[in-house]
Amino acid sequence: MNTTLNARTLSLIGGVSYFIIFFAAIFANFFVIESLLNDPVNTVVENGTFARAGILAFMITVVFDVVVAWVLYELFKSHPLSGLSALFRMMHAAIMGAAIFALPMALAATESAEILRQVDIFNTIWLIGLFFFGVHLILLGNIIGRPKIIAIFLVIAGVMYMVDTAAHFMMPNYDDYASIFLALVAIPSIFGEMSFAVWLLIKGGKESS
């Protein structure tokens, strides 16, 4: 029995997985983490279910990060860099998974300082993971080749992830430029990754199916 998935099916799985990652990460990062940073004790004590949902959302992003790594490897495994690209994405997923361990500790804390310390640990470990995610995006941009504009944005986004992580650790005054770095990362990342996800859903695998 042939159990091999065709390129079109893999592309659909990859596109859907990307969007699950996007929405789960937006909820977890921009709602739950922001709530913990802005009102740590109240979020933990009064909105514990909300905070735990954020942890679950982060776990979901890790699961589907692995799925995307597998899909992209299967779609482009004829390319010599495909395996390496998948490994860097898996490395990012593993580091992200390790970072999540800090969040239940934040929920177990009762003082703002300790909650914020655990969130800071989470953010720092995640930041390290994003450096390797940047390498993945650079490789991915070179692997897919076309659409050219998407490939270019993926490479730029990858470089910016790496630069941003390096700047966090190398620049004592990083906070003075945080908004600039955020824009430098977010703009190419949104255009590159969102466009690639849409491309996977609409056109991915059709030529080779």
Side-chain angles (χ1 to χ4, degrees):
M1 181 175 66
N2 184 8
T3 58
T4 302
L5 296 174
N6 63 39
R8 183 63 191 140
T9 301
L10 286 167
S11 294
L12 290 172
I13 293 171
V16 170
S17 297
Y18 258 116
F19 276 99
I20 291 172
I21 292 170
F22 292 148
F23 288 117
I26 287 170
F27 168 71
N29 196 38
F30 293 104
F31 290 91
V32 177
I33 293 297
E34 284 301 311
S35 180
L36 285 169
L37 290 172
N38 294 326
D39 193 2
V41 173
N42 187 61
T43 300
V44 169
V45 175
E46 301 295 333
N47 297 297
T49 301
F50 168 73
R52 286 176 174 80
I55 296 174
L56 179 60
F58 276 126
M59 292 168 64
I60 289 171
T61 67
V62 172
V63 170
F64 284 95
D65 243 351
V66 175
V67 172
V68 169
W70 163 70
V71 164
L72 295 178
Y73 172 73
E74 288 294 323
L75 283 173
F76 303 104
K77 60 184 173 183
S78 61
H79 194 287
L81 294 176
S82 182
L84 184 62
S85 176
L87 287 173
F88 273 109
R89 186 160 195 138
M90 293 283 285
M91 185 181 297
H92 162 259
I95 294 172
M96 179 64 179
I100 294 171
F101 274 91
L103 296 179
M105 296 180 187
L107 298 189
T110 57
E111 297 182 358
S112 292
E114 180 59 20
I115 295 169
L116 292 174
R117 190 177 79 87
Q118 294 298 335
V119 173
D120 186 58
I121 290 171
F122 165 79
N123 281 330
T124 300
I125 298 173
W126 184 17
L127 185 66
I128 293 170
L130 289 175
F131 186 88
F132 302 108
F133 183 69
V135 178
H136 159 73
L137 289 181
I138 293 170
L139 294 172
L140 180 61
N142 283 278
I143 289 166
I144 67 169
R146 58 188 177 86
K148 193 70 174 177
I149 188 64
I150 294 178
I152 290 171
F153 271 115
L154 288 173
V155 171
I156 294 172
V159 171
M160 289 300 103
Y161 272 118
M162 296 177 72
V163 169
D164 181 57
T165 298
H168 264 90
F169 297 118
M170 299 300 294
M171 293 175 58
N173 61 338
Y174 174 88
D175 288 345
D176 295 338
Y177 304 94
S179 60
I180 297 174
F181 280 107
L182 177 61
L184 290 174
V185 172
I187 293 171
S189 178
I190 291 171
F191 277 104
E193 293 185 81
M194 286 290 287
S195 298
F196 184 53
V198 172
W199 180 84
L200 285 172
L201 288 173
I202 296 174
K203 297 192 68 176
K206 286 187 175 180
E207 294 179 3
S208 57
S209 60

